[in-house]
Amino acid sequence: MLASDVYISESRFVVRSPEKPARSGLGMLLSTAGFSNASEEVRAAQGFIESRDALSSLERDALARKAWGNDHISLFNRFDPIGIAGSFEELYLYYSGKVGAEYDTETGITTLTVRAFSPQDAQAINRRLLEGAEALVNRLNQRGQSDLVRYAEGEVEDARIQARNAALALASYRNQSGVLDPERQGTVQLQMVSKLQDELIGARMQLLQLSEAAAQNPQIPLLKIRIAGLRKAIDEQIGQVAGNSKSLSATAVQYQRLQLQREYSDRRLAAALAALQDARNEARRQSAYVERVAQPSLPDAAMEPRRIRGFLATLTVGLVAWGILSMLLAGVREHKG
């Protein structure tokens, strides 16, 4: 009957996170677009409300001590009524009994309740705790977004360095070997060899004809010189294609390795750039946020203590205890008699 009136302020909120369809790269394996409950952020918000950090946010201007420890509150309900237990840890134990956050797994709604000894204090504490939970979710959001984008940017930078090194290695090898593309150059030289062989065959046929028709023809020595020159030119062209350490066939292996490395680096860079764009889109789309279902209420009547119920419960328990004790005393007297 001496306890102070307790006013209860209640607010409700959900933490939402927009989903998106499945995408390549860093896209999540989600099947449909819409909204989902961000359970991790909900648990984080609930944990913040029940933590010492939340109490510290109330104590920036001593809101908690003013609301729960002022002289207008009954000694039976006041925090530190006699002034000997005013530490922060004692206040946190008191706070744990006045503030609660319950999460409904079916609806995804978190209900925040605050008990204080005036409607304004209850609403003010509720509002500040709700703002702190929203700020925490936003910080988690920004941290996740920045980590995602920063990782993708790091991958892009690594891919750019690898692509640049591969291009420089290929260019350096071309300068050292004097070869731009062994396959294309080899094709050109083989075509030249084919033409020289055709000329060689024609010169041999002409020499054979002149030798049989006119063995003393003065063109025969010239044809022999031309045939010898064609043979030498053919041997030189074939030697450039294959046959020594500087031939195109010898340089083709190293060239192909460097070319494959460059192509791989270019593909990796393209994939990293696409992943970076996906990461930026992901950071914009996967933003969890607090949506208030019910604002912190301003109670217009005290809900606690329930004096009549408490009085009747005490009376009932007292009568039962008195009855049991009377029976025990009667049994003791009868036993002694």
Side-chain angles (χ1 to χ4, degrees):
M1 299 300 294
L2 299 177
S4 298
D5 290 337
V6 177
Y7 296 87
I8 302 176
S9 175
E10 181 180 285
S11 63
R12 299 184 179 186
F13 64 91
V14 295
V15 180
R16 292 292 191 183
S17 177
E19 297 178 356
K20 71 185 202 58
R23 293 180 181 271
S24 59
L26 298 179
M28 301 298 290
L29 298 177
L30 303 175
S31 58
T32 57
F35 290 91
S36 66
N37 293 322
S39 59
E40 294 181 358
E41 287 80 3
V42 170
R43 297 301 185 185
Q46 184 180 11
F48 167 78
I49 292 170
E50 298 173 349
S51 70
R52 290 172 174 80
D53 287 345
L55 179 57
S56 297
S57 69
L58 298 177
E59 281 295 278
R60 289 197 305 266
D61 53 359
L63 176 59
R65 293 180 186 271
K66 292 177 182 178
W68 292 320
N70 62 75
D71 296 336
H72 300 289
I73 304 172
S74 169
L75 291 174
F76 298 98
N77 304 105
R78 188 191 314 169
F79 168 69
D80 191 20
I82 58 178
I84 61 173
S87 66
F88 183 83
E89 290 299 323
E90 293 289 342
L91 180 59
Y92 177 70
L93 293 177
Y94 186 91
Y95 167 86
S96 301
K98 297 299 181 183
V99 174
E102 296 183 359
Y103 174 65
D104 189 339
T105 56
E106 294 183 0
T107 62
I109 296 176
T110 301
T111 302
L112 171 60
T113 56
V114 176
R115 289 171 168 80
F117 302 102
S118 73
Q120 293 77 15
D121 289 339
Q123 185 184 43
I125 293 174
N126 196 317
R127 182 182 293 113
R128 186 172 295 184
L129 291 176
L130 187 56
E131 291 172 353
E134 291 176 341
L136 174 66
V137 172
N138 292 335
R139 288 197 302 272
L140 293 175
N141 241 359
Q142 294 172 0
R143 176 73 177 272
Q145 292 170 359
S146 61
D147 288 347
L148 184 65
V149 174
R150 185 169 61 252
Y151 174 78
E153 289 175 344
E155 288 293 312
V156 169
E157 185 62 25
D158 291 343
R160 282 176 178 169
I161 294 174
Q162 183 178 3
R164 182 171 63 250
N165 292 338
L168 291 175
L170 182 60
S172 176
Y173 183 75
R174 283 173 171 172
N175 293 331
Q176 293 176 1
S177 62
V179 176
L180 294 178
D181 190 337
E183 293 184 359
R184 293 182 180 179
Q185 289 182 240
T187 300
V188 172
Q189 289 182 336
L190 289 176
Q191 291 175 352
M192 187 178 298
V193 169
S194 178
K195 291 180 181 180
L196 291 175
Q197 287 178 341
D198 291 341
E199 292 181 11
L200 178 60
I201 293 173
R204 285 177 175 175
M205 292 297 297
Q206 187 177 1
L207 177 61
L208 179 62
Q209 292 173 357
L210 288 176
S211 298
E212 293 181 355
Q216 302 300 323
N217 193 311
Q219 293 185 357
I220 292 177
L222 295 176
L223 287 174
K224 290 181 179 180
I225 294 173
R226 184 185 178 192
I227 290 172
L230 289 172
R231 286 177 177 174
K232 183 177 179 181
I234 290 172
D235 292 338
E236 289 178 355
Q237 293 298 324
I238 292 176
Q240 292 180 4
V241 176
N244 57 58
S245 60
K246 296 183 179 181
S247 64
L248 293 177
S249 62
T251 60
V253 176
Q254 180 69 6
Y255 177 85
Q256 289 175 357
R257 186 182 68 82
L258 294 174
Q259 181 67 17
L260 289 175
Q261 186 175 357
R262 179 185 177 182
E263 292 176 356
Y264 169 77
S265 300
D266 291 341
R267 287 195 298 269
R268 182 190 173 192
L269 177 58
L273 290 172
L276 176 58
Q277 186 60 42
D278 285 346
R280 288 172 176 169
N281 295 336
E282 190 85 2
R284 288 192 293 267
R285 293 172 181 171
Q286 294 290 341
S287 297
Y289 59 93
V290 173
E291 182 176 348
R292 299 188 183 188
V293 177
Q295 298 291 340
S297 62
L298 179 64
D300 58 356
M303 301 301 295
E304 295 177 358
R306 298 178 181 178
R307 291 182 171 85
I308 297 177
R309 188 181 71 174
F311 177 76
L312 294 177
T314 302
L315 179 61
T316 302
V317 172
L319 290 174
V320 171
W322 179 78
I324 294 174
L325 183 58
S326 298
M327 293 178 61
L328 290 175
L329 291 175
V332 171
R333 292 193 193 99
E334 182 179 355
H335 181 71
K336 289 182 177 180

